[in-house]
Amino acid sequence: EYLAFHGFSKALAALQGEASALQAKAAAPSEAASAKSRLSNALAAGALEEFMMVWEAAIPRSVQEGKIGQIARLKAAGYFFLRREGLDSRAATELRAAISGLQSGALGLETELVPLLVLPFVSDPSRNPTTSASFADEFLASLVADVTAVVAEHAKDLPTPFIYTLVAPPPDALHGTVRNF
């Protein structure tokens, strides 16, 4: 309406065309995926880049820099590395970054995480006796469960991009109010 009112018909047509192409035209702000669901979906899909992008935006900096956040990031990076069977250089880089970002004492007595610390530095970690157990489904499931628990407790929903308010239809309650005028 705003664009049409001010004579920006070409801009409006371009915006509507792009929204249709992206199938985002009918997505109301309330239907936008929450940060928690985006993080969970990224874990399930093995989408490392999406997970890390949302993690940086949705997890408060104080949590990321604390023991809980550091361990959760290590577990997430380890999960992506293991899921990709150590063959993805991006996953290896992310795991190395998570390891180097650990503050002294962050791991404490969590000895089950020791294999994650050596994974990116071992050639063929799936055959190494020290790290091969990390590829077991049970270990991967425990990593996902631990990361999901941190996400559930600490993730903050991201604000809906303003552009969605331009292309999303107004809520039904607003239609009734407008009709009464």
Side-chain angles (χ1 to χ4, degrees), residues 55-143:
W55 174 270
E56 291 293 324
I59 303 296
R61 181 71 45 205
S62 60
V63 174
Q64 288 183 41
E65 293 172 355
K67 179 180 177 178
I68 292 171
Q70 288 180 30
I71 291 174
R73 182 171 179 225
L74 174 66
K75 288 179 178 183
Y79 169 76
F80 287 113
F81 181 88
L82 293 167
R83 181 179 167 127
R84 296 174 181 190
E85 299 179 1
L87 301 175
D88 185 339
S89 63
R90 171 72 171 107
T93 301
E94 185 58 45
L95 183 54
R96 283 189 199 101
I99 291 167
S100 67
L102 289 173
Q103 295 174 355
S104 77
L107 291 180
L109 299 174
E110 300 195 39
T111 56
E112 77 274 2
L113 298 179
V114 171
L116 292 179
L117 300 176
V118 298
L119 278 172
F121 306 105
V122 174
S123 61
D124 199 2
S126 63
R127 295 186 188 200
N128 185 298
T130 306
T131 58
S132 61
S134 301
F135 289 86
D137 290 339
E138 300 80 28
F139 185 71
L140 290 171
S142 73
L143 293 176

Side-chain angles (χ1 to χ4, degrees), residues 155-174:
K156 307 293 183 221
D157 279 336
L158 304 174
T160 302
F162 179 71
I163 192 71
Y164 285 128
T165 62
L166 296 176
V167 295
D172 290 336
L174 186 59

